[in-house]
């Protein structure tokens, strides 16, 4: 891959891979060193609940399902992918925001409102990415 947005978000409460990565960073000094993290950057931080998902009776569904499935670390990719499918499906369809400007709104209606609020405050913008690699006749990569 040779393109990126420059923005990386992490939502450990509702993204199983993010939760697993946070836990790896908290407990593994070698992991922290590899990614230029210090203990102070990860150890004092707890998961912040953002969405309540009634199907799991949880406001940190990724955390709860990772623990229930026995996810050991972020290399448990099959378990993490299965959990992600469940959390994302129910989070969007049935989840409810529990913090912020759109508290108590369903995720499916809050998501576009959050997007518009970020754009209005000049904290975000719409990012479009070409589906295919662009070619230039003069500087063709081939």
């Amino acid at each position: 891959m040779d393109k990126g947005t420059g923005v990386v978000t992490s939502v450990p409460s509702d993204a199983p891979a993010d939760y697993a990565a946070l836990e790896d960073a908290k407990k593994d000094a070698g992991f922290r060193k590899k990614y230029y993290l210090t203990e102070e950057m990860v150890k004092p931080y707890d998961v912040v609940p953002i969405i309540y998902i009634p199907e799991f009776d949880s406001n940190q569904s990724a955390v709860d399902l990772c623990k229930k499935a026995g996810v050991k670390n972020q290399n448990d990719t099959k378990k993490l992918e299965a959990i992600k499918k469940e959390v994302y499906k129910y989070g969007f369809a049935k989840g409810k925001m529990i913090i912020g400007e759109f508290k108590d709104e369903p995720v499916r209606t809050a998501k576009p409102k959050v997007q518009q609020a970020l754009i209005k405050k000049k904290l975000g913008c719409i990012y479009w990415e070409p589906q295919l690699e662009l070619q230039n006749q003069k500087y063709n990569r081939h």
Side-chain angles (χ1 to χ4, degrees):
M1 176 177 266
D2 59 356
K3 54 187 164 177
T5 64
V7 176
V8 177
T9 61
S10 180
V11 186
S13 61
D14 299 289
D18 291 354
Y19 171 68
L22 176 63
E23 290 302 301
D24 286 352
K26 283 183 172 186
K27 62 187 171 192
D28 185 342
F31 178 89
R32 289 193 301 273
K33 183 177 180 180
K34 179 179 178 180
Y35 294 103
Y36 303 98
L37 299 170
T38 64
E39 197 170 299
E40 297 78 27
M41 292 172 151
V42 293
K43 284 232 176 169
Y45 295 99
D46 294 320
V47 172
V48 176
I50 298 171
I51 298 169
Y52 174 76
I53 302 176
E55 279 66 20
F56 308 123
D57 190 26
S58 177
N59 62 8
Q60 54 177 19
S61 297
V63 175
D64 294 343
L65 293 177
C66 282
K67 288 178 179 178
K68 184 178 178 182
V71 171
K72 292 180 179 61
N73 58 44
Q74 62 187 320
N75 296 319
D76 274 345
T77 55
K78 287 183 181 179
K79 289 180 184 177
L80 290 169
E81 186 61 31
I83 295 166
K84 178 178 122 177
K85 286 180 182 177
E86 292 296 300
V87 172
Y88 285 21
K89 177 174 75 174
Y90 289 112
F92 186 77
K94 307 270 180 130
K96 188 173 275 199
M97 302 296 292
I98 59 173
I99 64 168
E101 184 178 350
F102 304 105
K103 183 179 178 181
D104 296 325
E105 286 199 36
V107 170
R108 68 182 172 281
T109 59
K111 185 176 178 178
K113 291 178 183 180
V114 169
Q115 180 186 49
Q116 290 306 310
L118 290 170
I119 291 168
K120 185 177 180 179
K121 295 174 185 175
K122 300 202 182 302
L123 296 173
C125 64
I126 301 293
Y127 172 77
W128 297 96
E129 184 173 300
Q131 292 294 320
L132 302 172
E133 185 176 323
L134 300 176
Q135 298 290 322
N136 179 311
Q137 289 178 337
K138 185 174 181 181
Y139 300 105
N140 195 334
R141 290 185 180 186
H142 299 294

